[in-house]
Amino acid sequence: MEVNANLAQDVFKDAGESVIFLMLSLKREDIEKEREIIADMADRIAAIQRSMNIRVAPETVKMTLGFSNRAWEYLFPGAKKPKELEDFAGVNGEHHTAPATPADLFLHVRAAQAATSYLVVDQIMGFLRPIVDVVDETHGFHYHEGRAIIDFIDGTENPVGAEAQEWAIIGAEDPDFINGSYAFAQKYVHDLDAWRALPTEVQEKYIGRRKYSDLELSDEEKDPRAHNIISQDNRDGEEHKIVRMNVVFANPGEGVRGTYFIGYARHWDVTRQMVTNMFTQDDRLLEYSTAEKGQLFFIPSKELLGCIAEGELF
C-alpha cells in the first residue's frame, strides 16, 4: 500500500479563520457503550464534514479526530498499535516545564466562520457528550497577517506540497497505520505585557527573524537560545520537520493571550525532540510563555476510521 494524501485526515497546513480544539476524557463507566458510540462517531464524522461543506460552500471545513495512547489501549486492547504512539510524559527542564495532560480523544475543527466550526463541534459532541468529560476546550482565531499573537509571522518554515506529505503522513515504515499522523497538542499562555516591553531588536534576536519583513537573521545576529535555533530537530546534520498549525486564542478581558500549538508529524520522535530541546535548552521564548497542557494523539487514516466504525479493532 502506498501513501495517499486523500486517505489522510486534514493534517496539512490550513489553520482556518475560526478554530476549535477539544481534548476529551472517556468516562470509563461502560466500555461497551463507549465503543458503540466511538464506532458510530468514526462512521459519522466524514458525513458531518461533507454535509457541512455543502451547506457552507464555497467555505471548506477541515477536521481531525485522534486517539491518545491511553485511549487506544482502553478501547482497542487486542489491536496493533502505531509504532510511536505513547503517553506524553511531559518534559522537565531546569527552568521550564512542559506538563502532560491526561486525555483520550482530540478534535481539531477549523472553518472560515465561527458559526460553522460551532455547528460541526456541536453535532459531534451531541454524540460524544454522554461518554466523555471535557479536559480542555479552546476557541482560536486567525490573527492579523497570519502572525502569532507575539506579532511575528508564524509557520515560515512549514513544509508545503509534496514535502508536507512526506513529513506529516505515516508511510511504509508502519504499514498497518499508513496515511495516519501523530498530532501533538500543546497550549501556551504568554506574558505579552513583558514581551511587548522588549525592544523590537531584542524580540528579533530571541525569535531569530525580523519582525516585519520576516527575514531570517544571520547566525551572528541571533541569540544563542533563539526560538528558531532551539526548536529545531537537526540530528545527524539533517533538519527534520513537522507541519505546524499554531492558533491564537485569547480572553482579553481577563488578560489571557496564548498560542495553541498543534504539530502533525509522520514521526512523533521529531516533535518530541523539538519540545525536549525547547524545555531543556531554555528557549528564550519560554521566558514569556507558560505551557499549560500537552498530549500526543494518533490521527487514523480515513480507512482506519472505517475499520473502527465497523468494530474491527474492538
Side-chain angles (χ1 to χ4, degrees):
M1 185 176 181
E2 296 183 354
V3 171
N4 184 344
N6 293 324
L7 296 179
Q9 293 194 60
D10 295 320
V11 299
F12 300 110
K13 176 69 175 177
D14 184 3
E17 297 290 326
S18 171
V19 186
I20 298 179
F21 296 102
L22 281 172
M23 287 190 194
L24 306 169
S25 178
L26 292 163
K27 291 181 182 291
R28 286 172 165 73
E29 296 173 347
D30 183 342
I31 191 169
E32 294 307 319
K33 178 182 178 182
E34 290 167 342
R35 285 174 170 170
E36 179 182 348
I37 291 177
I38 291 296
D40 187 37
M41 189 68 260
D43 185 45
R44 289 179 182 271
I45 192 167
I48 291 172
Q49 187 175 17
R50 287 194 302 268
S51 173
M52 189 58 66
N53 281 338
I54 292 172
R55 293 166 62 185
V56 299
E59 179 183 346
T60 302
V61 175
K62 303 287 186 182
M63 69 171 75
T64 56
L65 173 67
F67 300 83
S68 69
N69 180 63
R70 77 173 202 162
W72 196 272
E73 293 183 343
Y74 173 67
L75 292 168
F76 319 121
K80 292 182 179 180
K81 193 168 71 172
K83 287 182 179 179
E84 296 188 57
L85 184 59
E86 64 179 7
D87 295 311
F88 175 62
V91 180
N92 295 310
E94 184 177 355
H95 301 107
H96 307 290
T97 299
T101 304
D104 292 310
L105 306 178
F106 175 68
L107 186 65
H108 175 196
V109 175
R110 58 262 198 203
Q113 302 292 328
T116 302
S117 51
Y118 153 73
L119 284 170
V120 172
V121 173
D122 194 49
Q123 285 187 25
I124 292 172
M125 288 303 297
F127 297 102
L128 291 179
R129 201 171 286 117
I131 63 166
V132 300
D133 294 314
V134 176
V135 175
D136 181 74
E137 178 174 350
T138 300
H139 293 237
F141 55 92
H142 179 80
Y143 198 50
H144 292 299
E145 299 180 334
R147 294 181 183 272
I149 204 164
I150 59 170
D151 300 316
F152 282 75
I153 300 293
D154 191 54
T156 297
E157 300 299 324
N158 250 343
V160 296
E163 187 186 17
Q165 177 177 308
E166 176 187 351
W167 290 110
I169 299 178
I170 294 169
E173 70 278 357
D174 199 357
D176 291 316
F177 300 97
I178 196 166
N179 297 314
S181 187
Y182 294 100
F184 182 63
Q186 191 174 43
K187 188 173 181 178
Y188 291 89
V189 171
H190 305 298
D191 184 350
L192 276 194
D193 294 337
W195 174 255
R196 288 174 174 165
L198 294 174
T200 295
E201 57 269 23
V202 174
Q203 292 181 0
E204 292 175 340
K205 287 178 181 293
Y206 287 0
I207 296 298
R209 306 189 75 86
R210 296 293 180 198
K211 189 171 187 177
Y212 299 106
S213 69
D214 194 41
L215 295 174
E216 185 168 3
L217 301 183
S218 67
D219 291 343
E220 293 74 22
E221 293 175 297
K222 296 177 185 179
D223 185 282
R225 291 188 281 122
H227 178 63
N228 72 351
I229 294 177
I230 299 298
S231 64
Q232 292 187 15
D233 176 7
N234 291 324
R235 286 172 293 173
D236 303 320
E238 178 185 355
E239 183 179 2
H240 303 276
K241 297 185 178 183
I242 64 174
V243 174
R244 295 175 174 86
M245 275 185 260
N246 294 350
V247 177
V248 170
F249 69 91
N251 298 328
E254 301 172 1
V256 175
R257 286 79 56 91
T259 298
Y260 201 105
F261 168 86
I262 174 69
Y264 291 103
R266 177 177 182 171
H267 297 289
W268 154 236
D269 181 61
V270 174
T271 316
R272 180 176 56 197
Q273 187 64 50
M274 292 175 172
V275 174
T276 300
N277 289 349
M278 287 178 61
F279 285 85
T280 61
Q281 297 179 29
D282 292 338
D283 186 325
R284 278 289 194 180
L285 189 55
L286 291 179
E287 296 174 18
Y288 306 89
S289 311
T290 301
E292 292 193 336
K293 292 180 171 64
Q295 191 51 257
L296 169 68
F297 301 89
F298 170 65
I299 309 299
S301 68
K302 294 174 183 177
E303 284 192 330
L304 191 53
L305 280 178
C307 294
I308 293 172
E310 294 296 324
E312 296 176 10
L313 270 66
F314 297 119

